[in-house]
Amino acid sequence: MLKITQVKTKRMVIWGAVGTLLVLGLVYSFWPRPIAVDLARVERGELRVSVEEEGKTRVRDVYILSAPVSGRLRRIKVNVGDPTTFGETLIAEIEPADSQFLDPRSEVQAEAEIQSAQAAMELARADVNRVQAELDFARAELTRAKGLIKDKTISQRELDEAERAFKTQRAALAQAQAALQVRSYELERARALLLSPAQAQQSHGNCECIRLSAPVGGRVLHLYRESEAVVASGEALVSIGDPSDLEIIVELHSSQAVKVKAGQEVIIENWGGDESLQGRVRRVEPVGFTKISALGIEEQRVNVIIDFTSPHEQWQRLGHAYQLDVRILLWKNADVLKLPLIALFRDTTDDDSYTGNWAVFVNDSGRARKRRVELGHRNDLEAEVLSGVQEGDLVVLHPSDQVVDGVSIVNRKGSESGGADVF
């Protein structure tokens, strides 16, 4: 009987221990655990608000040398980057263009004009011979009259008539010779119509060419034409400028351009050098233009012109149309209370005590406490805090839907109070 009682007692102890452990396990399983979060400290420091965009350099004054007349452009011998001197450096030479091929009908007409010009020339030559004969006869008559006047065989009137006839025939001969010269030129003109392009090319280099010199001192920036070719009047040939006189052009979205004004400081980055460069906004153009973005969206852009303020020795390796990044400083303060932008969230409660309904979760002895904050200036990373938190407070970064007011939190880096762990 005693043994039976001892067995029952042992069973009760064992099952009691198992039940206790089971209860403790269930309690431990359902006991609320702190939520692991990332914390950052609210601190004072410098805050800058800027507009960032890609830009490119360009020579301030670019001179484009164009063809003054139509003709054949000889090969340009200067290269991109070559220095130029005003009025001395020879840039290009233009000579007359080759003649065009004639179609069969035009060729027959040109041959007929040659034959007509030849016939007219023969007619003019015959007229010269006729007038020459009449002039010889008038000269002989004048000589005879002068001999007879001495013997008083003829009157003075007859001598005057002989002189008049001689002078008239001499003038007629000059007129006939001039007409013959005109017919000769007409024949040459008719023959020129049959000049083929192959024959015209034989005269290359023997004609007077138009020589184009550099309109300004600097360097050659671009060759629109390099090889020999036929160009039209006004066609661009070469652009010339001074690479040491650079400016920056930035195409800002119109919503950003309205915040920019002349005189604002600019930081120039990713230009290829080890250090950032300094610049200043010179002009915001008052007219915008439409540009298609990489996503195919039409955007209104505005050109902003920036001057370098850093010494030329720091950016002398830059040239025309080089790419770089610019940050135009709209506002800056060296001592503001700020916190990370990723700690903020919109509070949807009905309390509108602060404009914007921005709030953060602050670590209060291991508990998350929601606080409304009033913001000032902000950029892509940080925001100025005007009220709601104090310097040194730890705020939750990227608060999830599990973080609510009063929930227990722990720093994901291992310290419940957050310690000095900041992002």
Side-chain angles (χ1 to χ4, degrees), residues 174-191:
Q175 182 179 2
Q177 290 175 340
L180 177 62
Q181 191 69 25
V182 170
R183 300 307 179 188
S184 175
Y185 292 149
E186 290 178 350
L187 178 59
E188 291 182 4
R189 184 180 62 181
R191 288 173 176 171

Side-chain angles (χ1 to χ4, degrees), residues 406-418:
V407 72
S408 178
I409 59 175
V410 63
N411 191 347
R412 185 172 282 113
K413 294 184 179 181
S415 174
E416 183 178 347
S417 62

Side-chain angles (χ1 to χ4, degrees), residues 208-284:
E208 291 293 334
C209 297
I210 296 178
R211 299 167 61 89
L212 304 180
S213 301
V216 67
R219 291 186 179 273
V220 177
L221 301 179
H222 183 69
L223 298 179
Y224 298 95
R225 288 277 190 178
E226 183 176 1
S227 299
E228 182 176 335
V230 176
V231 295
S233 175
E235 183 175 345
L237 303 178
V238 178
S239 61
I240 301 174
D242 185 5
S244 63
D245 186 17
L246 292 180
E247 62 184 10
I248 301 173
I249 180 171
V250 183
E251 298 176 356
L252 290 183
H253 196 278
S254 58
S255 61
Q256 296 178 326
V258 297
K259 304 175 184 178
V260 179
K261 59 183 179 180
Q264 289 179 331
E265 182 181 353
V266 179
I267 300 176
I268 304 165
E269 301 172 327
N270 297 329
W271 60 278
D274 298 330
E275 299 180 355
S276 299
L277 301 175
Q278 303 297 318
R280 193 169 300 278
V281 176
R282 184 172 87 243
R283 181 174 67 252
V284 180

Side-chain angles (χ1 to χ4, degrees), residues 38-41 394-395 411-415 418-423:
D38 293 319
L39 299 176
R41 192 178 303 277
L394 293 173
V395 295
N411 191 347
R412 185 172 282 113
K413 294 184 179 181
S415 174
D421 292 329
V422 295
F423 83 112

Side-chain angles (χ1 to χ4, degrees), residues 82-95:
D82 288 351
T84 61
T85 303
F86 169 68
E88 297 182 5
T89 305
L90 178 63
I91 302 298
E93 293 180 306
I94 299 178
E95 61 183 9

